[in-house]
Amino acid sequence: MAQIEWLGHASFRLRNGATVYIDPWKLKADEPKADVILVSHTHYDHLSIEDIEKIRTPQTRILGSMDCADKIAPPLIGARPGEAHTLAGVAVRTLPAYNINKEFHPRASDWLGFIITLGGETIYYVGDSDLIPEMADAGRVDTALIPVGGTYTMTAAEGAQAAERIGARRVIPYHWGDIVGTRADAEAFVRACPSTAEILEISR
């Protein structure tokens, strides 16, 4: 089973053989180096060049939305929703992530959610998204990482609906505790979830 560490806000580290970072932000200087870095979109709290450089090595593979290409030093794989890639032995599928009733994350931007298969476990990082129909296309998901802070993404109640749509056996809330969203949002999400929900403490 993969080790899933929440690094605060929308940032995660996954470990099972390979070390995978998603949207690294506000990292310590001595974090473990990355085999894979995934960047969902170019907002500053998801794409941080300073933090990428803390964990990047010459062997690190980086995949991000297409608009990352002029911001992250190569090599970089630019991806759109609906693609499949293998990076350092880690299978990654991209799904869309976008807003329906707000304008912060337009569908036309082709920003990303990720389905990562690591050590036989499938982990769905929803990205900065509202409750969208494409979540039903995720397939079998063991763990879903779901934003619940509202304002820019789903609320706690909408996140619980997303958990039901995705059908993961375990769900973890994020996008709270920094910039937007509170622990109360995460707790409300846990109470409303149809599956096993767990609040992670920040790994420091």
Side-chain angles (χ1 to χ4, degrees):
M1 187 173 181
Q3 179 182 2
I4 300 175
E5 299 169 276
W6 181 48
L7 305 177
H9 189 51
S11 182
F12 285 89
R13 180 171 53 229
L14 317 178
R15 293 197 269 194
N16 189 340
T19 298
V20 179
Y21 284 83
I22 307 171
D23 290 355
W25 190 52
K26 293 188 177 180
L27 300 182
K28 296 181 298 184
D30 59 347
E31 300 283 6
K33 299 301 183 182
D35 296 300
V36 176
I37 299 172
L38 304 176
V39 181
S40 65
H41 66 293
T42 51
H43 285 166
Y44 75 95
D45 52 330
H46 295 261
L47 169 58
S48 167
I49 301 301
E50 176 185 358
D51 289 295
I52 287 172
E53 292 305 321
K54 289 177 184 177
I55 54 176
R56 185 178 195 174
T57 75
Q59 290 73 44
T60 300
R61 304 290 304 281
I62 304 178
L63 181 146
S65 57
M66 292 299 294
D67 53 354
C68 291
D70 62 349
K71 298 174 177 63
I72 300 175
L76 165 78
I77 297 172
R80 292 184 171 87
E83 296 182 2
H85 298 267
T86 300
L87 305 95
V90 178
V92 178
R93 287 198 293 131
T94 56
L95 266 65
Y98 59 90
N99 289 142
I100 291 174
N101 55 8
K102 49 188 91 74
E103 300 299 326
F104 302 108
H105 305 90
R107 184 173 187 173
S109 295
D110 277 345
W111 289 338
L112 304 174
F114 302 110
I115 296 180
I116 304 137
T117 302
L118 191 61
E121 182 177 0
T122 302
I123 300 160
Y124 178 14
Y125 177 85
V126 165
D128 272 17
S129 186
D130 284 333
L131 180 64
I132 58 175
E134 292 89 346
M135 289 174 177
D137 300 330
R140 183 187 67 82
V141 174
D142 296 304
T143 300
L145 312 175
I146 298 177
V148 301
T151 305
Y152 305 108
T153 66
M154 292 178 283
T155 64
E158 291 164 339
Q161 293 178 58
E164 183 173 10
R165 182 170 296 180
I166 294 164
R169 60 177 178 79
R170 177 191 184 206
V171 293
I172 295 169
Y174 71 90
H175 221 283
W176 64 273
D178 194 328
I179 299 179
V180 69
T182 65
R183 176 172 285 273
D185 293 310
E187 291 171 346
F189 169 78
V190 168
R191 289 193 301 270
C193 266
S195 51
T196 300
E198 178 183 358
I199 297 174
L200 298 185
E201 301 302 324
I202 296 177
S203 178
R204 295 291 191 212

